[in-house]
Amino acid sequence: MSEARLATAPRGPESPRRRRREFQPRAIVTIALAWVLLWDRVSWGNVVNGLLVGLFVTYAFPLPSIEYSGRLRPHRVALLIGQFLVDLVGASWQVMRLAFGRRRPRNAVIEVQLRSRSDFYLTLTAELVALVPGSVVVDARRSTSVLYLHLLDVERPGTIERQRAHVLAVERRVVRALGSREEIAALDTDAPWPSRTTPTEERP
């Protein structure tokens, strides 16, 4: 497997989010639901044990706060989902052609510098990219908003640049669907990402 890394401009370090040991009901319920599904049986004992496990996990291993101050735009969300489905069908067809073809694909690992500085947008972008066949997110650096992707086939010239542009396009659609006006303007004009003095914190 060959490696190809894209040159990116260095960005300053980001101060880490504080991890707070606070009561997180949504995270506890989510963990309890996963616990019940693992046991494959709904009972009072499993539900109570799942809640206790969720309470222990959230206090012993607190998750960092997620800063989000955007606004949901339904039409942009619909466009985001629609484009994702188009990308999914197209990439699946390409992977199928590779699977039945005789040509041995040339793989690569690339680095993509995102323009947003939000863990929320970083996570959504990484998930949408990883769900499309042919690319796998092998690492995500939240301190610098960098994604590392493994690409299945980079034989044709310009494939790496097109994939990088595709990831940035996914990020742009995510921010336009869920971001604030300041964040969208910063993304469109390549201005510094807006800082929030009083962010709305949402925890999983």
Side-chain angles (χ1 to χ4, degrees), residues 110-174:
I110 68 171
E111 176 187 82
V112 182
Q113 173 70 68
L114 300 184
R115 288 170 290 188
S116 63
R117 303 290 292 178
S118 167
D119 293 343
F120 182 60
Y121 303 138
L122 171 70
T123 303
L124 289 180
T125 302
E127 290 292 338
L128 290 174
V129 171
L131 288 173
V132 175
S135 59
V136 177
V137 178
V138 296
D139 193 13
R141 302 289 176 87
R142 57 188 297 264
S143 60
T144 55
S145 296
V146 172
L147 293 180
Y148 294 92
L149 279 74
H150 177 272
L151 303 183
L152 179 60
D153 185 22
V154 294
E155 188 69 29
R156 296 180 179 178
T159 301
I160 291 178
E161 288 297 332
R162 286 194 297 270
Q163 183 62 34
R164 180 176 182 270
H166 168 71
V167 174
L168 295 178
V170 172
E171 179 197 27
R172 183 167 57 252
R173 288 193 291 269
V174 168

Short mmCIF file of all heavy atoms in Angstrom, two decimals, residues 110-174:
data_model
loop_
_atom_site.label_atom_id
_atom_site.label_comp_id
_atom_site.label_asym_id
_atom_site.label_seq_id
_atom_site.Cartn_x
_atom_site.Cartn_y
_atom_site.Cartn_z
N ILE A 110 -4.46 9.49 3.17
CA ILE A 110 -4.33 10.93 2.96
C ILE A 110 -4.75 11.69 4.21
O ILE A 110 -5.45 11.16 5.08
CB ILE A 110 -5.15 11.41 1.75
CG1 ILE A 110 -6.65 11.28 2.04
CG2 ILE A 110 -4.76 10.66 0.50
CD1 ILE A 110 -7.52 11.94 0.99
N GLU A 111 -4.33 12.92 4.27
CA GLU A 111 -4.65 13.83 5.37
C GLU A 111 -5.51 14.96 4.84
O GLU A 111 -5.18 15.58 3.82
CB GLU A 111 -3.35 14.37 5.97
CG GLU A 111 -3.54 15.39 7.07
CD GLU A 111 -2.21 16.00 7.47
OE1 GLU A 111 -1.74 16.93 6.78
OE2 GLU A 111 -1.62 15.53 8.45
N VAL A 112 -6.62 15.24 5.51
CA VAL A 112 -7.53 16.30 5.08
C VAL A 112 -7.73 17.27 6.24
O VAL A 112 -8.20 16.87 7.30
CB VAL A 112 -8.88 15.74 4.61
CG1 VAL A 112 -9.77 16.87 4.13
CG2 VAL A 112 -8.70 14.70 3.52
N GLN A 113 -7.38 18.51 6.01
CA GLN A 113 -7.56 19.56 7.02
C GLN A 113 -8.95 20.17 6.86
O GLN A 113 -9.24 20.80 5.85
CB GLN A 113 -6.50 20.63 6.86
CG GLN A 113 -6.69 21.84 7.76
CD GLN A 113 -6.44 21.51 9.22
OE1 GLN A 113 -5.31 21.24 9.60
NE2 GLN A 113 -7.48 21.54 10.05
N LEU A 114 -9.81 19.97 7.84
CA LEU A 114 -11.13 20.57 7.79
C LEU A 114 -11.04 22.05 8.12
O LEU A 114 -10.08 22.52 8.76
CB LEU A 114 -12.06 19.87 8.78
CG LEU A 114 -12.29 18.37 8.56
CD1 LEU A 114 -13.31 17.84 9.56
CD2 LEU A 114 -12.75 18.08 7.14
N ARG A 115 -12.06 22.79 7.72
CA ARG A 115 -12.04 24.23 7.95
C ARG A 115 -12.77 24.63 9.22
O ARG A 115 -12.52 25.69 9.77
CB ARG A 115 -12.65 24.94 6.73
CG ARG A 115 -11.73 24.90 5.51
CD ARG A 115 -12.42 25.38 4.26
NE ARG A 115 -13.44 24.44 3.80
CZ ARG A 115 -14.07 24.55 2.64
NH1 ARG A 115 -13.80 25.53 1.84
NH2 ARG A 115 -14.97 23.66 2.29
N SER A 116 -13.71 23.80 9.68
CA SER A 116 -14.41 24.11 10.92
C SER A 116 -13.55 23.72 12.11
O SER A 116 -12.60 22.95 11.99
CB SER A 116 -15.75 23.37 10.97
OG SER A 116 -15.55 21.97 10.99
N ARG A 117 -13.92 24.25 13.28
CA ARG A 117 -13.18 23.95 14.51
C ARG A 117 -14.14 23.39 15.56
O ARG A 117 -14.01 23.68 16.74
CB ARG A 117 -12.50 25.21 15.03
CG ARG A 117 -11.55 25.87 14.05
CD ARG A 117 -10.32 25.05 13.84
NE ARG A 117 -9.48 25.01 15.03
CZ ARG A 117 -8.35 24.33 15.11
NH1 ARG A 117 -7.96 23.60 14.09
NH2 ARG A 117 -7.64 24.34 16.21
N SER A 118 -15.05 22.57 15.14
CA SER A 118 -16.09 22.04 16.02
C SER A 118 -16.02 20.53 16.06
O SER A 118 -15.95 19.88 15.01
CB SER A 118 -17.47 22.50 15.54
OG SER A 118 -18.50 21.78 16.17
N ASP A 119 -16.03 19.96 17.26
CA ASP A 119 -16.08 18.51 17.40
C ASP A 119 -17.36 17.94 16.79
O ASP A 119 -17.37 16.83 16.25
CB ASP A 119 -16.01 18.11 18.87
CG ASP A 119 -14.67 18.44 19.49
OD1 ASP A 119 -13.70 18.68 18.72
OD2 ASP A 119 -14.58 18.48 20.73
N PHE A 120 -18.44 18.71 16.88
CA PHE A 120 -19.73 18.26 16.36
C PHE A 120 -19.67 18.08 14.85
O PHE A 120 -20.05 17.04 14.31
CB PHE A 120 -20.80 19.28 16.76
CG PHE A 120 -22.19 18.91 16.33
CD1 PHE A 120 -22.78 17.74 16.77
CD2 PHE A 120 -22.91 19.74 15.49
CE1 PHE A 120 -24.07 17.40 16.38
CE2 PHE A 120 -24.19 19.41 15.09
CZ PHE A 120 -24.77 18.24 15.54
N TYR A 121 -19.18 19.09 14.14
CA TYR A 121 -19.08 19.00 12.68
C TYR A 121 -18.00 18.00 12.26
O TYR A 121 -18.14 17.33 11.23
CB TYR A 121 -18.78 20.38 12.09
CG TYR A 121 -19.81 21.42 12.45
CD1 TYR A 121 -19.43 22.71 12.82
CD2 TYR A 121 -21.16 21.12 12.46
CE1 TYR A 121 -20.38 23.67 13.15
CE2 TYR A 121 -22.11 22.06 12.80
CZ TYR A 121 -21.70 23.34 13.16
OH TYR A 121 -22.65 24.28 13.50
N LEU A 122 -16.93 17.91 13.04
CA LEU A 122 -15.88 16.93 12.73
C LEU A 122 -16.46 15.51 12.78
O LEU A 122 -16.19 14.69 11.89
CB LEU A 122 -14.74 17.07 13.74
CG LEU A 122 -13.66 16.00 13.72
CD1 LEU A 122 -12.81 16.11 12.45
CD2 LEU A 122 -12.77 16.09 14.96
N THR A 123 -17.25 15.22 13.80
CA THR A 123 -17.83 13.88 13.95
C THR A 123 -18.81 13.57 12.83
O THR A 123 -18.77 12.48 12.23
CB THR A 123 -18.53 13.76 15.31
OG1 THR A 123 -17.60 14.05 16.37
CG2 THR A 123 -19.10 12.37 15.52
N LEU A 124 -19.70 14.52 12.52
CA LEU A 124 -20.68 14.28 11.47
C LEU A 124 -20.00 14.10 10.11
O LEU A 124 -20.39 13.22 9.32
CB LEU A 124 -21.68 15.44 11.40
CG LEU A 124 -22.68 15.54 12.55
CD1 LEU A 124 -23.59 16.74 12.35
CD2 LEU A 124 -23.51 14.27 12.67
N THR A 125 -19.01 14.93 9.82
CA THR A 125 -18.30 14.80 8.55
C THR A 125 -17.60 13.46 8.45
O THR A 125 -17.66 12.78 7.41
CB THR A 125 -17.27 15.94 8.40
OG1 THR A 125 -17.94 17.20 8.49
CG2 THR A 125 -16.55 15.84 7.07
N ALA A 126 -16.94 13.05 9.53
CA ALA A 126 -16.23 11.76 9.52
C ALA A 126 -17.20 10.60 9.33
O ALA A 126 -16.92 9.65 8.59
CB ALA A 126 -15.45 11.59 10.81
N GLU A 127 -18.37 10.67 9.97
CA GLU A 127 -19.34 9.59 9.84
C GLU A 127 -19.89 9.51 8.42
O GLU A 127 -20.01 8.41 7.84
CB GLU A 127 -20.50 9.80 10.82
CG GLU A 127 -20.13 9.59 12.28
CD GLU A 127 -19.81 8.15 12.59
OE1 GLU A 127 -20.27 7.26 11.84
OE2 GLU A 127 -19.11 7.89 13.58
N LEU A 128 -20.22 10.64 7.83
CA LEU A 128 -20.78 10.63 6.47
C LEU A 128 -19.74 10.14 5.46
O LEU A 128 -20.09 9.45 4.50
CB LEU A 128 -21.26 12.04 6.10
CG LEU A 128 -22.51 12.53 6.85
CD1 LEU A 128 -22.79 13.98 6.50
CD2 LEU A 128 -23.71 11.66 6.53
N VAL A 129 -18.49 10.50 5.66
CA VAL A 129 -17.44 10.04 4.75
C VAL A 129 -17.18 8.54 4.92
O VAL A 129 -17.02 7.80 3.96
CB VAL A 129 -16.15 10.85 4.97
CG1 VAL A 129 -14.98 10.24 4.18
CG2 VAL A 129 -16.35 12.30 4.57
N ALA A 130 -17.16 8.08 6.17
CA ALA A 130 -16.85 6.67 6.44
C ALA A 130 -17.96 5.75 5.97
O ALA A 130 -17.70 4.58 5.65
CB ALA A 130 -16.59 6.48 7.93
N LEU A 131 -19.20 6.22 5.95
CA LEU A 131 -20.32 5.37 5.54
C LEU A 131 -20.35 5.12 4.03
O LEU A 131 -21.04 4.21 3.57
CB LEU A 131 -21.65 5.99 5.98
CG LEU A 131 -21.93 5.94 7.49
CD1 LEU A 131 -23.19 6.72 7.81
CD2 LEU A 131 -22.06 4.50 7.97
N VAL A 132 -19.62 5.91 3.27
CA VAL A 132 -19.56 5.72 1.82
C VAL A 132 -18.47 4.71 1.51
O VAL A 132 -17.33 4.87 1.94
CB VAL A 132 -19.28 7.06 1.12
CG1 VAL A 132 -19.08 6.84 -0.38
CG2 VAL A 132 -20.41 8.04 1.36
N PRO A 133 -18.77 3.64 0.77
CA PRO A 133 -17.76 2.62 0.46
C PRO A 133 -16.57 3.21 -0.31
O PRO A 133 -16.72 4.14 -1.09
CB PRO A 133 -18.53 1.62 -0.40
CG PRO A 133 -19.96 1.83 -0.07
CD PRO A 133 -20.09 3.29 0.24
N GLY A 134 -15.40 2.65 -0.02
CA GLY A 134 -14.19 3.08 -0.71
C GLY A 134 -13.30 3.99 0.09
O GLY A 134 -12.15 4.23 -0.29
N SER A 135 -13.79 4.51 1.21
CA SER A 135 -12.98 5.37 2.07
C SER A 135 -13.26 5.03 3.54
O SER A 135 -14.40 4.79 3.92
CB SER A 135 -13.28 6.85 1.82
OG SER A 135 -14.65 7.13 2.05
N VAL A 136 -12.21 5.00 4.32
CA VAL A 136 -12.31 4.67 5.74
C VAL A 136 -11.56 5.73 6.53
O VAL A 136 -10.41 6.07 6.21
CB VAL A 136 -11.72 3.28 6.04
CG1 VAL A 136 -11.79 2.99 7.54
CG2 VAL A 136 -12.46 2.20 5.27
N VAL A 137 -12.19 6.28 7.55
CA VAL A 137 -11.53 7.24 8.43
C VAL A 137 -10.70 6.46 9.44
O VAL A 137 -11.24 5.76 10.29
CB VAL A 137 -12.56 8.14 9.14
CG1 VAL A 137 -11.85 9.10 10.10
CG2 VAL A 137 -13.39 8.92 8.13
N VAL A 138 -9.39 6.55 9.33
CA VAL A 138 -8.50 5.79 10.21
C VAL A 138 -8.13 6.59 11.46
O VAL A 138 -7.70 6.01 12.45
CB VAL A 138 -7.23 5.35 9.47
CG1 VAL A 138 -7.59 4.39 8.35
CG2 VAL A 138 -6.46 6.54 8.91
N ASP A 139 -8.27 7.91 11.40
CA ASP A 139 -7.94 8.72 12.57
C ASP A 139 -8.59 10.08 12.42
O ASP A 139 -8.79 10.57 11.31
CB ASP A 139 -6.42 8.88 12.71
CG ASP A 139 -6.02 9.46 14.07
OD1 ASP A 139 -6.89 9.48 14.98
OD2 ASP A 139 -4.86 9.89 14.23
N ALA A 140 -8.93 10.69 13.56
CA ALA A 140 -9.49 12.04 13.59
C ALA A 140 -8.84 12.81 14.73
O ALA A 140 -8.92 12.37 15.88
CB ALA A 140 -11.01 11.99 13.76
N ARG A 141 -8.21 13.91 14.42
CA ARG A 141 -7.54 14.74 15.42
C ARG A 141 -8.43 15.92 15.78
O ARG A 141 -8.53 16.88 15.01
CB ARG A 141 -6.19 15.22 14.89
CG ARG A 141 -5.25 14.10 14.47
CD ARG A 141 -4.71 13.35 15.67
NE ARG A 141 -3.88 12.23 15.26
CZ ARG A 141 -2.58 12.31 15.00
NH1 ARG A 141 -1.97 13.50 15.09
NH2 ARG A 141 -1.89 11.25 14.66
N ARG A 142 -9.07 15.86 16.92
CA ARG A 142 -9.98 16.93 17.30
C ARG A 142 -9.23 18.20 17.69
O ARG A 142 -9.79 19.30 17.64
CB ARG A 142 -10.89 16.48 18.44
CG ARG A 142 -10.20 16.01 19.69
CD ARG A 142 -11.20 15.41 20.68
NE ARG A 142 -12.14 16.39 21.13
CZ ARG A 142 -11.99 17.07 22.27
NH1 ARG A 142 -10.94 16.87 23.02
NH2 ARG A 142 -12.90 17.95 22.64
N SER A 143 -7.96 18.11 18.08
CA SER A 143 -7.20 19.29 18.46
C SER A 143 -6.88 20.17 17.26
O SER A 143 -6.73 21.38 17.39
CB SER A 143 -5.91 18.89 19.16
OG SER A 143 -5.11 18.08 18.31
N THR A 144 -6.78 19.56 16.07
CA THR A 144 -6.44 20.31 14.86
C THR A 144 -7.49 20.17 13.77
O THR A 144 -7.31 20.72 12.67
CB THR A 144 -5.08 19.84 14.30
OG1 THR A 144 -5.12 18.42 14.10
CG2 THR A 144 -3.96 20.18 15.26
N SER A 145 -8.56 19.43 14.01
CA SER A 145 -9.62 19.21 13.02
C SER A 145 -9.07 18.60 11.74
O SER A 145 -9.32 19.09 10.64
CB SER A 145 -10.36 20.52 12.71
OG SER A 145 -11.04 21.00 13.85
N VAL A 146 -8.33 17.52 11.89
CA VAL A 146 -7.73 16.83 10.76
C VAL A 146 -8.28 15.41 10.70
O VAL A 146 -8.38 14.73 11.73
CB VAL A 146 -6.19 16.78 10.86
CG1 VAL A 146 -5.59 15.89 9.79
CG2 VAL A 146 -5.62 18.19 10.76
N LEU A 147 -8.65 14.97 9.49
CA LEU A 147 -9.08 13.60 9.26
C LEU A 147 -8.02 12.88 8.44
O LEU A 147 -7.44 13.45 7.51
CB LEU A 147 -10.41 13.56 8.50
CG LEU A 147 -11.65 14.08 9.22
CD1 LEU A 147 -12.87 13.96 8.30
CD2 LEU A 147 -11.90 13.33 10.51
N TYR A 148 -7.77 11.62 8.79
CA TYR A 148 -6.88 10.75 8.01
C TYR A 148 -7.75 9.65 7.40
O TYR A 148 -8.44 8.92 8.13
CB TYR A 148 -5.79 10.15 8.89
CG TYR A 148 -4.83 11.19 9.43
CD1 TYR A 148 -5.05 11.80 10.66
CD2 TYR A 148 -3.71 11.57 8.71
CE1 TYR A 148 -4.18 12.75 11.16
CE2 TYR A 148 -2.82 12.52 9.20
CZ TYR A 148 -3.07 13.11 10.41
OH TYR A 148 -2.20 14.05 10.90
N LEU A 149 -7.70 9.54 6.08
CA LEU A 149 -8.55 8.61 5.36
C LEU A 149 -7.72 7.59 4.60
O LEU A 149 -6.66 7.92 4.05
CB LEU A 149 -9.44 9.35 4.36
CG LEU A 149 -10.72 10.03 4.86
CD1 LEU A 149 -10.38 11.29 5.63
CD2 LEU A 149 -11.62 10.36 3.69
N HIS A 150 -8.23 6.36 4.59
CA HIS A 150 -7.68 5.32 3.73
C HIS A 150 -8.56 5.21 2.50
O HIS A 150 -9.77 4.97 2.60
CB HIS A 150 -7.63 3.98 4.46
CG HIS A 150 -7.14 2.85 3.61
ND1 HIS A 150 -8.00 2.09 2.83
CD2 HIS A 150 -5.90 2.36 3.40
CE1 HIS A 150 -7.30 1.18 2.17
NE2 HIS A 150 -6.03 1.31 2.50
N LEU A 151 -7.96 5.41 1.32
CA LEU A 151 -8.70 5.36 0.06
C LEU A 151 -8.43 4.04 -0.63
O LEU A 151 -7.29 3.56 -0.65
CB LEU A 151 -8.29 6.52 -0.84
CG LEU A 151 -8.46 7.93 -0.26
CD1 LEU A 151 -8.07 8.97 -1.29
CD2 LEU A 151 -9.87 8.15 0.25
N LEU A 152 -9.46 3.49 -1.25
CA LEU A 152 -9.36 2.17 -1.86
C LEU A 152 -8.64 2.20 -3.20
O LEU A 152 -7.83 1.33 -3.50
CB LEU A 152 -10.76 1.58 -2.04
CG LEU A 152 -10.83 0.19 -2.69
CD1 LEU A 152 -10.07 -0.82 -1.86
CD2 LEU A 152 -12.28 -0.23 -2.87
N ASP A 153 -8.88 3.22 -4.03
CA ASP A 153 -8.32 3.23 -5.38
C ASP A 153 -7.92 4.64 -5.75
O ASP A 153 -8.77 5.53 -5.86
CB ASP A 153 -9.35 2.68 -6.37
CG ASP A 153 -8.77 2.56 -7.77
OD1 ASP A 153 -7.53 2.48 -7.90
OD2 ASP A 153 -9.55 2.54 -8.73
N VAL A 154 -6.62 4.87 -5.93
CA VAL A 154 -6.11 6.19 -6.31
C VAL A 154 -5.25 6.10 -7.56
O VAL A 154 -4.30 6.85 -7.74
CB VAL A 154 -5.31 6.83 -5.15
CG1 VAL A 154 -6.20 7.11 -3.96
CG2 VAL A 154 -4.16 5.91 -4.73
N GLU A 155 -5.59 5.17 -8.42
CA GLU A 155 -4.78 4.92 -9.62
C GLU A 155 -4.84 6.09 -10.60
O GLU A 155 -3.82 6.49 -11.17
CB GLU A 155 -5.26 3.64 -10.31
CG GLU A 155 -4.37 3.19 -11.44
CD GLU A 155 -3.03 2.69 -10.96
OE1 GLU A 155 -2.96 2.18 -9.82
OE2 GLU A 155 -2.04 2.83 -11.72
N ARG A 156 -6.00 6.68 -10.77
CA ARG A 156 -6.15 7.75 -11.75
C ARG A 156 -5.59 9.06 -11.20
O ARG A 156 -5.72 9.36 -10.01
CB ARG A 156 -7.62 7.93 -12.11
CG ARG A 156 -8.24 6.72 -12.79
CD ARG A 156 -9.69 6.98 -13.13
NE ARG A 156 -10.29 5.83 -13.81
CZ ARG A 156 -11.56 5.78 -14.18
NH1 ARG A 156 -12.35 6.82 -13.95
NH2 ARG A 156 -12.02 4.70 -14.78
N PRO A 157 -4.98 9.87 -12.07
CA PRO A 157 -4.43 11.17 -11.63
C PRO A 157 -5.54 12.08 -11.10
O PRO A 157 -6.64 12.15 -11.65
CB PRO A 157 -3.81 11.74 -12.91
CG PRO A 157 -3.57 10.56 -13.79
CD PRO A 157 -4.66 9.59 -13.48
N GLY A 158 -5.25 12.76 -10.03
CA GLY A 158 -6.20 13.70 -9.45
C GLY A 158 -7.19 13.09 -8.49
O GLY A 158 -8.03 13.81 -7.93
N THR A 159 -7.12 11.77 -8.26
CA THR A 159 -8.08 11.12 -7.36
C THR A 159 -7.96 11.64 -5.94
O THR A 159 -8.97 11.87 -5.26
CB THR A 159 -7.89 9.59 -7.39
OG1 THR A 159 -8.08 9.12 -8.72
CG2 THR A 159 -8.89 8.91 -6.47
N ILE A 160 -6.73 11.83 -5.47
CA ILE A 160 -6.53 12.29 -4.09
C ILE A 160 -7.09 13.69 -3.91
O ILE A 160 -7.78 13.97 -2.91
CB ILE A 160 -5.04 12.23 -3.74
CG1 ILE A 160 -4.57 10.78 -3.66
CG2 ILE A 160 -4.77 12.94 -2.41
CD1 ILE A 160 -3.10 10.62 -3.36
N GLU A 161 -6.84 14.58 -4.87
CA GLU A 161 -7.37 15.94 -4.76
C GLU A 161 -8.89 15.94 -4.83
O GLU A 161 -9.55 16.71 -4.12
CB GLU A 161 -6.79 16.80 -5.88
CG GLU A 161 -5.32 17.15 -5.70
CD GLU A 161 -5.08 17.98 -4.45
OE1 GLU A 161 -6.01 18.70 -4.04
OE2 GLU A 161 -3.98 17.90 -3.89
N ARG A 162 -9.45 15.09 -5.66
CA ARG A 162 -10.92 15.01 -5.74
C ARG A 162 -11.51 14.49 -4.44
O ARG A 162 -12.56 14.97 -4.00
CB ARG A 162 -11.34 14.12 -6.91
CG ARG A 162 -11.15 14.76 -8.29
CD ARG A 162 -11.89 13.98 -9.36
NE ARG A 162 -11.37 12.63 -9.50
CZ ARG A 162 -10.38 12.30 -10.32
NH1 ARG A 162 -9.80 13.23 -11.06
NH2 ARG A 162 -9.97 11.05 -10.42
N GLN A 163 -10.85 13.51 -3.81
CA GLN A 163 -11.35 12.99 -2.56
C GLN A 163 -11.27 14.04 -1.45
O GLN A 163 -12.17 14.16 -0.62
CB GLN A 163 -10.56 11.74 -2.16
CG GLN A 163 -11.06 11.07 -0.89
CD GLN A 163 -12.49 10.57 -1.03
OE1 GLN A 163 -12.91 10.13 -2.09
NE2 GLN A 163 -13.24 10.62 0.06
N ARG A 164 -10.19 14.78 -1.45
CA ARG A 164 -10.05 15.86 -0.46
C ARG A 164 -11.15 16.90 -0.67
O ARG A 164 -11.77 17.36 0.30
CB ARG A 164 -8.68 16.51 -0.58
CG ARG A 164 -8.45 17.65 0.41
CD ARG A 164 -7.04 18.19 0.31
NE ARG A 164 -6.80 19.24 1.27
CZ ARG A 164 -7.02 20.53 1.02
NH1 ARG A 164 -7.48 20.89 -0.16
NH2 ARG A 164 -6.79 21.43 1.95
N ALA A 165 -11.40 17.27 -1.92
CA ALA A 165 -12.47 18.23 -2.21
C ALA A 165 -13.83 17.66 -1.82
O ALA A 165 -14.71 18.40 -1.35
CB ALA A 165 -12.44 18.59 -3.69
N HIS A 166 -14.00 16.35 -1.98
CA HIS A 166 -15.26 15.72 -1.59
C HIS A 166 -15.48 15.82 -0.09
O HIS A 166 -16.59 16.14 0.37
CB HIS A 166 -15.26 14.25 -2.02
CG HIS A 166 -16.38 13.45 -1.44
ND1 HIS A 166 -17.68 13.60 -1.83
CD2 HIS A 166 -16.38 12.49 -0.47
CE1 HIS A 166 -18.45 12.78 -1.13
NE2 HIS A 166 -17.68 12.10 -0.31
N VAL A 167 -14.45 15.58 0.71
CA VAL A 167 -14.58 15.66 2.16
C VAL A 167 -14.92 17.08 2.59
O VAL A 167 -15.79 17.31 3.45
CB VAL A 167 -13.29 15.17 2.84
CG1 VAL A 167 -13.37 15.38 4.35
CG2 VAL A 167 -13.04 13.71 2.53
N LEU A 168 -14.25 18.06 1.99
CA LEU A 168 -14.54 19.45 2.33
C LEU A 168 -15.94 19.85 1.89
O LEU A 168 -16.60 20.66 2.55
CB LEU A 168 -13.50 20.36 1.67
CG LEU A 168 -12.06 20.19 2.16
CD1 LEU A 168 -11.13 21.11 1.41
CD2 LEU A 168 -11.96 20.45 3.67
N ALA A 169 -16.43 19.27 0.79
CA ALA A 169 -17.80 19.54 0.35
C ALA A 169 -18.81 18.95 1.34
O ALA A 169 -19.84 19.57 1.63
CB ALA A 169 -18.03 18.98 -1.05
N VAL A 170 -18.52 17.77 1.87
CA VAL A 170 -19.39 17.17 2.89
C VAL A 170 -19.42 18.06 4.13
O VAL A 170 -20.48 18.32 4.70
CB VAL A 170 -18.90 15.75 3.24
CG1 VAL A 170 -19.68 15.21 4.44
CG2 VAL A 170 -19.07 14.82 2.06
N GLU A 171 -18.25 18.52 4.55
CA GLU A 171 -18.20 19.42 5.70
C GLU A 171 -19.01 20.68 5.46
O GLU A 171 -19.75 21.15 6.34
CB GLU A 171 -16.75 19.78 6.01
CG GLU A 171 -16.60 20.73 7.18
CD GLU A 171 -15.24 21.39 7.23
OE1 GLU A 171 -14.60 21.52 6.16
OE2 GLU A 171 -14.80 21.78 8.32
N ARG A 172 -18.89 21.25 4.26
CA ARG A 172 -19.63 22.47 3.94
C ARG A 172 -21.13 22.23 3.99
O ARG A 172 -21.89 23.07 4.50
CB ARG A 172 -19.21 22.97 2.55
CG ARG A 172 -19.87 24.29 2.14
CD ARG A 172 -19.22 24.90 0.93
NE ARG A 172 -19.23 23.99 -0.21
CZ ARG A 172 -18.16 23.37 -0.69
NH1 ARG A 172 -16.98 23.54 -0.11
NH2 ARG A 172 -18.25 22.56 -1.73
N ARG A 173 -21.59 21.09 3.48
CA ARG A 173 -23.03 20.79 3.53
C ARG A 173 -23.50 20.59 4.96
O ARG A 173 -24.62 20.99 5.31
CB ARG A 173 -23.33 19.55 2.68
CG ARG A 173 -23.23 19.80 1.18
CD ARG A 173 -23.84 18.64 0.39
NE ARG A 173 -23.03 17.43 0.50
CZ ARG A 173 -22.07 17.11 -0.35
NH1 ARG A 173 -21.77 17.92 -1.36
NH2 ARG A 173 -21.38 15.99 -0.22
N VAL A 174 -22.67 19.98 5.79
CA VAL A 174 -23.03 19.78 7.20
C VAL A 174 -23.18 21.12 7.90
O VAL A 174 -24.16 21.35 8.63
CB VAL A 174 -21.97 18.90 7.90
CG1 VAL A 174 -22.17 18.93 9.42
CG2 VAL A 174 -22.04 17.47 7.40
#
